[in-house]
Amino acid sequence: IMLRIITICILVFCMFSCTKQDVIDTGISSPYYEGTVMQFLQSDEYNFKLTVDMIERGGLTDLFEGKVDSCSQITFLAFKTHTIYLFLLQNGLDSVMQLSPDFCRDIVLRHVIAGKHLKEEIGYRNLNYDFTAGEEITEEKAGGSVFNTLDGAEVFLYREKSDYEGVPNMGPEYLYSYSITEKTYLPMATPDIQPNNGVIHALTPYYRWTYELKGRTKN
């Protein structure tokens, strides 16, 4: 009986100590990683094998290794292998090596922000403002935090509180991301993975690209 009670207590603790964003990537138990952003991605081949291939194909290894003096810390909205694999299939391709280096570079940089920006530093969204209505998205109007990515695109990051057992704003806080340039959500899975040279906000494998290749293959 005592063993059963202990087991139930552990299960209850686990249920209330996780957020729905954390549950997606159950392999991450600590936000800290002793290594670079690139080394973290390389250590998780299941999720990021093709992501690493795109970074290398785009000539961006030094950036992810923290070796670029002008951008020694980065925030990476990390798209996963599954996202790239589906994009390749949709375009009749078999390998990242069939994408041009310029295309890989552009897409990777569209998901990189200079500096380290943790979830706790991101502003809360203004719930009274519909940022998807087509109007200009600014921090003054929409709340949150607006950033330029390294390829010149704009991305809107914001936090939202949730309810807990009917009590407003007492549940977990979630981080969300939205591409202002592409006008699409970048669905978040696991925020605040912290290697030595920045932070990774990992996106879900259900993230879909709508980019056009426009002949940028096999170059």
Side-chain angles (χ1 to χ4, degrees):
I1 296 177
M2 182 59 68
L3 179 61
R4 182 178 299 175
I5 293 174
I6 293 173
T7 302
I8 292 172
C9 289
I10 292 173
L11 290 174
V12 170
F13 175 79
C14 291
M15 288 175 62
F16 288 102
S17 64
C18 295
T19 70
K20 61 184 178 183
Q21 290 185 340
D22 293 329
V23 167
I24 295 175
D25 286 337
T26 54
I28 299 171
S29 59
S30 170
Y32 303 106
Y33 178 79
E34 287 300 322
T36 65
V37 172
M38 190 65 167
Q39 288 169 340
F40 174 84
L41 299 174
Q42 291 170 332
S43 73
D44 186 354
E45 288 198 357
Y46 178 80
N47 282 307
F48 297 115
K49 173 63 171 67
L50 296 187
T51 311
V52 169
D53 289 348
M54 282 198 72
I55 292 169
E56 293 175 342
R57 178 73 166 155
L60 296 169
T61 300
D62 283 353
L63 176 67
F64 282 76
E65 288 282 7
K67 296 179 180 178
V68 177
D69 291 340
S70 60
C71 193
S72 59
Q73 294 278 315
I74 62 172
T75 296
F76 183 37
L77 304 177
F79 49 85
K80 296 185 176 179
T81 283
H82 192 65
T83 296
I84 304 168
Y85 178 70
L86 287 179
F87 180 79
L88 293 174
L89 284 181
Q90 290 166 359
N91 287 276
L93 303 176
D94 301 315
S95 167
V96 166
M97 295 304 294
Q98 292 176 279
L99 301 171
S100 74
D102 283 346
F103 178 83
C104 291
R105 181 182 180 85
D106 290 348
I107 298 307
V108 171
L109 292 181
R110 182 152 294 197
H111 295 79
V112 179
I113 302 166
K116 181 177 180 178
H117 305 284
L118 297 173
K119 173 183 171 182
E120 65 181 13
E121 302 169 5
I122 304 302
Y124 292 101
R125 181 171 81 86
N126 178 6
L127 299 178
N128 297 318
Y129 184 81
D130 182 5
F131 65 85
T132 64
E135 298 183 16
E136 182 183 13
I137 299 177
T138 65
E139 294 178 3
E140 291 75 19
K141 294 179 180 179
S145 303
V146 176
F147 297 98
N148 288 317
T149 62
L150 293 188
D151 83 323
E154 283 190 307
V155 63
F156 177 49
L157 302 184
Y158 60 93
R159 280 189 289 166
E160 282 190 2
K161 297 181 179 180
S162 64
D163 298 342
Y164 174 69
E165 294 189 350
V167 180
N169 301 325
M170 291 300 292
E173 291 184 354
Y174 299 117
L175 179 66
Y176 297 92
S177 54
Y178 179 83
S179 171
I180 298 174
T181 302
E182 301 293 336
K183 296 181 174 55
T184 184
Y185 283 96
L186 310 175
M188 191 70 63
T190 309
D192 282 358
I193 305 166
Q194 297 178 55
N196 295 334
N197 62 314
V199 59
I200 297 169
H201 300 310
L203 305 178
T204 75
Y206 311 111
Y207 173 38
R208 298 289 183 269
W209 286 349
T210 57
Y211 306 122
E212 293 185 11
L213 283 173
K214 296 180 180 178
R216 299 169 71 185
T217 58
K218 300 181 181 179
N219 294 327

